Amino acid sequence: MPPFGFSSFTSRLLGGAQPLGSQLPCSWQRPFGLGWEKPYTVRYASNLDDGPNHGAPLGGFGAGCIGRGPDGRFNLWHLDGGEHWFGEIPDCQFALYESDGSTSRAHALAVQPTADSSRPETGEPLSAWSWYPASDAQRSTGTYAARYPLSSTDYAGVFQAQVRCEAFSPILPGDYQRTSYPVAVFVWSLQNPTDQPLTVSLLLSWRNTVGWFTNTDPTAAVQFRDDGSPEHNYVPAIGRSQGQRNRQVVDTALKGIVLEGERSEPLAEGQGQWCLAVPDEAALGQAGVDIFRCSRWDGAGDGSEIWTPFAATGAIPESNNDRHSGDHESASAALAVRFTLAPGQSLEIPVVIAWDLPVTSFATGTRSLRRYTDFHGSSGDNAVAIAAEALRDWRSWRRAIEAWQAPVLARTDLPEALRMALLNELYDLASGGSLWTAATANDPVGRFGVLECLDYAWYESLDVRLYGSFALLQLWPELDKAVLRDFARAIPAADPTPRPIGWYFTQGRGRVEAARKVAGATPHDLGAPNERPFDATNYTAYQDCNLWKDLASDFVLQVWRCFRLAPSGEDLRFLADCWPAAVTALRYLKQFDANDDGLPDNGGAPDQTFDDWPLQGVSAYCGALWIAALEAALAMGQRLQLELGLDTSAEQREFGGWLEQSRSNFDALLWNGEYYNIDADSGTPVVMADQLCGDFYARLLGLPPVVAEERARSALQAVKEACFEGFQGGTLGVANGLRRDGTPLDPNGTHPLEVWTGINFGLAAYYRLMGESGTALAICGAVVEQVYGGGLQFRTPEAITAVHTFRACHYLRAMAIWALWATHTDWQPIPGAEAQPQSPLPTTSQSRAAQR
């Protein structure tokens, strides 16, 4: 194994015996630019696989985000709400020049970009530039580290100066303002360890991409992939340049360049501004600083117009050319900061990239303003103001991040790898296609949603967030309430539009149609970015979600969980808002009790979160959730009647009767003496790993347990032996369902033979709650090893397999790792998470209406 191979790192990390670096402890680390020997690859050809070069995203929730890989290249561009574009823009780049008076060197601080094989006529990108060397088996040229929202890159062995860059955005629990900001802060630390003066120059170059990130396909027609799931076409306007211009910022507080483009009235999606900014010379506190700004250069050429003078002296051509571009004419900008460091001297330079792209568009005529516009306005002219605030406040933001992460870092009872993953798995709240709209009277913190994943591109799948929303609940509880309120509004709604159901296609059973949304049914999701999210629900059509037997229970349990565990305290008004929908949802689900035993029956076609896995009759998974949900509903009704005076006595009698009947039949139908059968009618002889999720929820929320403790422990032991230790020796995690001896029922099965990352984290929390921390940590350790050792970091998938494939990256359910935090015996809220939302700056109703 090469000395910088990742396996040696992960084994060291998972052991937790050695520090991972004094600068950023508990971080995921990777030698700069080192390739992966054998990363995980995608299971289905149609699913997304951008490769393993992913780093921590930069940008606020719902603001759009950018990503810089462990090789220094900016490659992730999630700037259109809910849409994904992954690709290199070589002239979006940092570079460094250094001279000791006799020798000099200059490198772009990324490995060499790849040529576009689809356009061989373009040749090698920026061929005049010198690129930073990647690490290899014999030599490390630096280290990338990430502990979201912080990331850092240390450069080593190339420059004489010690060079470090730390990047972050103000992702702060309980802060419903700054967490929404479209800004990335890069703090460059440079030190001269030699006995001679060093002249250093730091360059930032950026392509004008205003107008790029909007869908040019007006239909965005839905099609079915080879896995039966629906998708829509996304064709962003990459390369669009008509009307773009760049200009220097005239501001006493900073030195910067604004990048703009064409505008319509009202402002359209993708329109607005970028701003590149540094403090002015006086603010840097360093004598002899030169700041150069080149408002325009050709990033599509060989780059010599910038690189030749920069490599020679650290300067770039000063210009303020603000002419408008024609079509197919790139408009790049650059700024550079040059200074001299005396022997032993150091300097810290903050560099800010801010963007103001305030509009997200959906179906024709439907649009939303992003949450940050509540604080910085919706004109699309505020990138400079955002950058100025970042340059003013970045130190306090950085201290606040350290403060809220401190309790996680201090939990030495959790292995270092697990503490690392707890923080890094939060990445999906920024880069998971997140949507966060401006506030209204009905939605005082706006409406919020994260995609199930980029392959299954619909918001806040309720069955998935049953596990994956533990992070949102504990860190931004008002956003969790916002999501659940949207589900409460959607439950009584109906949409009779018929749609083909994808699963039947995969089974070769032809076209089967179903109504999109039946009144009273709990929706599966809050819609998709190519339609009308929040208002048009049930986007997915792989199964008929009106028939699902877990969604109503999922909703009720999440409402009660939010009420009981939100660090901001119990909110009776929220509970009252959701109560009518909870009643409707449970009554709708009860109609599927085919034999009047109190328990809803699964119908044969997959009708729960394991939507490729048929269950028949009463099932352990859905039945346990149902019993826990009835207990939660009774607790809700009691609190609302006692404390708000609502008359819920009829509902309490109704639910109490169902609960008594359900409890008397659950064990009789499903308990086999060692564990619970997967269902009552199919005879499928497997141990289902997640058979008692409902019992976990009941115990976590202080409700009466679903099953007796001795039976819960017996079932967990069977799961451990069959699905964890019996599956690849426990090295991958817990498989969803195997025979009692650990063998597969069907060697070609899909869901039963997959390790679902989020299910594993949730199951681990159940073991921990039951006092079996050793098993919990072993399960988490195996999954974290696979994700962070297999090139899946910052794109954690739904599922991994024993043949080193994955499915559905950037998956919401993986944030279930935060369920472990909720099961600490001395659980304490993360600092700041209990804060109430800030009031937005006043905006005129006239200007707000113009943008909606």
Side-chain angles (χ1 to χ4, degrees):
M1 175 64 65
F4 301 112
F6 199 78
S7 291
S8 63
F9 162 73
T10 48
S11 61
R12 175 164 58 86
L13 175 58
L14 290 167
Q18 301 180 41
L20 299 178
S22 59
Q23 298 296 326
L24 203 59
C26 286
S27 60
W28 176 77
Q29 295 189 8
R30 181 81 185 167
F32 184 89
L34 182 70
W36 274 257
E37 290 184 1
K38 189 181 178 183
Y40 270 83
T41 55
V42 77
R43 180 173 188 178
Y44 296 109
S46 64
N47 276 198
L48 180 68
D49 187 358
D50 293 318
N53 189 35
H54 284 261
L58 294 157
F61 298 174
C65 69
I66 57 178
R68 191 175 186 223
D71 62 358
R73 292 185 281 189
F74 287 94
N75 52 20
L76 182 75
W77 308 89
H78 283 185
L79 294 163
D80 182 353
E83 305 291 3
H84 169 74
W85 191 74
F86 188 89
E88 299 172 49
I89 306 176
D91 45 314
C92 290
Q93 196 54 256
F94 285 102
L96 193 70
Y97 162 88
E98 174 190 82
S99 174
D100 60 7
S102 58
T103 62
S104 64
R105 61 201 55 82
H107 296 286
L109 296 175
V111 303
Q112 186 167 1
T114 56
D116 187 346
S117 59
S118 66
R119 300 176 62 203
E121 73 281 0
T122 60
E124 180 184 318
L126 301 179
S127 57
W129 289 33
S130 173
W131 298 89
Y132 195 83
S135 300
D136 57 30
Q138 286 72 45
R139 174 195 184 202
S140 173
T141 60
T143 303
Y144 176 86
R147 191 183 77 217
Y148 185 77
L150 302 169
S151 63
S152 67
T153 306
D154 288 273
Y155 299 86
V158 176
F159 294 100
Q160 294 184 69
Q162 294 178 348
V163 182
R164 187 170 194 266
C165 175
E166 187 169 272
F168 62 91
S169 297
I171 306 302
L172 306 172
D175 190 327
Y176 299 90
Q177 177 176 339
R178 292 161 192 86
T179 303
S180 74
Y181 279 6
V183 68
V185 179
F186 302 85
V187 181
W188 290 87
S189 301
L190 301 111
Q191 183 178 24
N192 180 4
T194 75
D195 57 4
Q196 298 292 324
L198 287 178
T199 297
V200 178
S201 183
L202 176 67
L203 167 74
L204 170 61
S205 168
W206 206 253
R207 176 75 68 91
N208 190 328
T209 61
V210 173
W212 285 23
F213 296 103
T214 186
N215 199 355
T216 62
D217 181 348
T219 62
V222 175
Q223 300 177 354
F224 287 95
R225 291 195 301 255
D226 56 3
D227 64 357
S229 58
E231 66 173 351
H232 68 271
N233 199 27
Y234 180 59
V235 185
I238 303 301
R240 176 185 290 172
S241 61
Q242 185 70 43
Q244 290 178 341
R245 69 164 187 158
N246 307 331
R247 57 181 174 84
Q248 292 187 7
V249 177
V250 181
D251 191 297
T252 57
L254 58 80
K255 288 292 184 70
I257 302 173
V258 169
L259 292 68
E260 301 173 309
E262 289 186 326
R263 289 171 174 252
S264 60
E265 182 59 42
L267 202 69
E269 182 178 70
Q271 295 178 350
Q273 291 180 334
W274 289 81
C275 179
L276 320 177
V278 296
D280 65 13
E281 293 88 343
L284 284 170
Q286 168 80 8
V289 173
D290 295 310
I291 298 178
F292 306 92
R293 291 178 291 177
C294 177
S295 68
R296 188 181 188 93
W297 67 280
D298 182 10
D302 66 2
S304 58
E305 63 181 297
I306 284 286
W307 196 258
T308 299
F310 180 74
T313 67
I316 60 175
E318 183 81 14
S319 72
N320 192 17
N321 179 354
D322 64 351
R323 73 173 179 85
H324 293 265
S325 296
D327 202 13
H328 306 297
E329 183 183 11
S330 67
S332 300
L335 58 78
V337 182
R338 186 177 66 183
F339 50 92
T340 298
L341 293 174
Q345 186 185 4
S346 61
L347 183 65
E348 194 172 61
I349 304 175
V351 181
V352 168
I353 301 176
W355 55 98
D356 183 13
L357 307 171
V359 176
T360 298
S361 295
F362 310 113
T364 302
T366 308
R367 54 201 284 112
S368 289
L369 293 174
R370 301 183 194 262
R371 166 65 172 176
Y372 76 86
T373 64
D374 284 334
F375 311 100
H376 278 284
S378 57
S379 66
D381 295 317
N382 299 295
V384 176
I386 296 168
E389 184 176 341
L391 289 173
R392 184 193 71 202
D393 293 344
W394 69 266
R395 287 183 178 86
S396 63
W397 293 352
R398 179 64 172 80
R399 288 192 297 269
I401 292 170
E402 289 285 359
W404 78 256
Q405 291 189 342
V408 177
L409 304 183
R411 291 303 304 226
T412 54
D413 58 320
L414 298 177
E416 193 171 4
L418 185 51
R419 285 174 276 157
M420 175 276 296
L422 268 167
L423 297 170
N424 278 330
E425 288 303 323
L426 297 174
Y427 82 95
D428 198 53
L429 291 170
S431 71
S434 58
L435 174 63
W436 190 0
T437 70
T440 65
N442 289 333
D443 297 289
V445 296
R447 305 174 90 175
F448 183 81
V450 176
L451 297 178
E452 179 175 329
C453 68
L454 297 176
D455 284 305
Y456 314 147
W458 36 88
Y459 286 106
E460 293 291 339
S461 299
L462 191 62
D463 57 314
V464 175
R465 78 180 316 274
L466 179 71
Y467 307 78
S469 59
F470 272 96
L472 201 65
L473 164 74
Q474 294 176 81
L475 302 176
W476 293 274
E478 298 304 316
L479 295 184
D480 193 48
K481 292 177 189 176
V483 173
L484 292 170
R485 280 191 170 102
D486 269 316
F487 274 103
R489 293 167 183 155
I491 284 171
D495 182 351
T497 306
R499 297 183 303 166
I501 303 303
W503 181 74
Y504 292 97
F505 287 119
T506 68
Q507 302 298 304
R509 295 167 65 176
R511 186 180 184 91
V512 175
E513 293 187 344
R516 176 162 180 162
K517 171 69 171 70
V518 175
T522 304
H524 170 271
D525 55 74
L526 294 177
N530 65 311
E531 287 193 339
R532 293 177 292 112
F534 308 122
D535 298 318
T537 61
N538 268 358
Y539 182 86
T540 182
Y542 183 61
Q543 296 289 355
D544 179 2
C545 298
N546 299 296
L547 303 179
W548 277 30
K549 309 309 187 298
D550 54 350
L551 293 175
S553 302
D554 294 346
F555 172 73
V556 173
L557 287 169
Q558 288 176 65
V559 169
W560 183 244
R561 183 194 65 178
C562 189
F563 175 74
R564 292 285 292 121
L565 298 186
S568 51
E570 293 186 344
D571 184 346
L572 282 165
R573 176 44 52 197
F574 163 74
L575 200 64
D577 288 346
C578 295
W579 171 251
V583 172
T584 299
L586 291 174
R587 286 173 175 165
Y588 179 90
L589 181 54
K590 180 61 169 63
Q591 71 177 320
F592 296 101
D593 177 7
N595 50 11
D596 199 28
D597 57 10
L599 293 155
D601 292 275
N602 295 88
D607 53 5
Q608 24 67 44
T609 195
F610 302 93
D611 59 359
D612 213 26
W613 199 354
L615 302 178
Q616 188 70 52
V618 174
S619 67
Y621 179 75
C622 296
L625 286 171
W626 166 253
I627 290 172
L630 290 175
E631 292 284 6
L634 284 172
M636 284 185 207
Q638 291 165 6
R639 293 293 297 272
L640 291 172
Q641 185 157 332
L642 288 172
E643 299 183 44
L644 287 186
L646 297 180
D647 184 3
T648 64
S649 54
E651 290 86 353
Q652 290 186 59
R653 286 193 298 272
E654 182 179 23
F655 297 156
W658 296 349
L659 179 61
E660 182 179 359
Q661 192 179 15
S662 296
R663 282 189 173 279
S664 66
N665 288 312
F666 184 78
D667 278 32
L669 289 168
L670 297 169
W671 178 248
N672 65 16
E674 186 184 11
Y675 57 91
Y676 288 88
N677 291 327
I678 187 171
D679 60 32
D681 293 349
S682 72
T684 304
V686 299
V687 179
M688 185 184 195
D690 206 24
Q691 57 187 267
L692 290 179
C693 179
D695 188 61
F696 163 66
Y697 252 88
R699 293 173 187 272
L700 177 68
L701 300 179
L703 298 167
V706 172
V707 300
E709 182 169 337
E710 63 272 17
R711 292 191 174 184
R713 292 190 181 281
S714 177
L716 286 172
Q717 183 66 24
V719 170
K720 175 183 175 181
E721 292 174 0
C723 301
F724 181 47
E725 297 170 340
F727 183 69
Q728 301 296 310
T731 58
L732 264 67
V734 181
N736 281 327
L738 297 171
R739 294 179 187 269
R740 183 61 182 85
D741 62 2
T743 60
L745 181 66
D746 176 5
N748 298 315
T750 53
H751 289 184
L753 293 180
E754 291 180 331
V755 171
W756 285 13
T757 56
I759 295 291
N760 271 245
F761 292 143
L763 188 60
Y766 187 19
Y767 278 102
R768 188 174 177 86
L769 194 65
M770 298 296 287
E772 298 185 34
S773 289
T775 301
L777 298 182
I779 291 170
C780 289
V783 174
V784 169
E785 167 78 25
Q786 297 304 315
V787 170
Y788 288 88
L792 295 171
Q793 75 290 334
F794 302 109
R795 55 174 189 146
T796 308
E798 159 79 311
I800 57 176
T801 72
V803 293
H804 221 62
T805 62
F806 72 89
R807 178 173 60 79
C809 61
H810 297 257
Y811 205 77
L812 169 62
R813 188 160 12 212
M815 282 186 288
I817 195 168
W818 276 85
L820 288 161
W821 193 258
T823 56
H824 283 315
T825 54
D826 56 345
W827 178 85
Q828 294 293 328
I830 295 294
E834 72 282 358
Q836 295 299 314
Q838 300 90 336
S839 298
L841 294 177
T843 55
T844 67
S845 58
Q846 186 177 28
S847 64
R848 178 72 72 206
Q851 290 298 325
R852 291 195 182 281

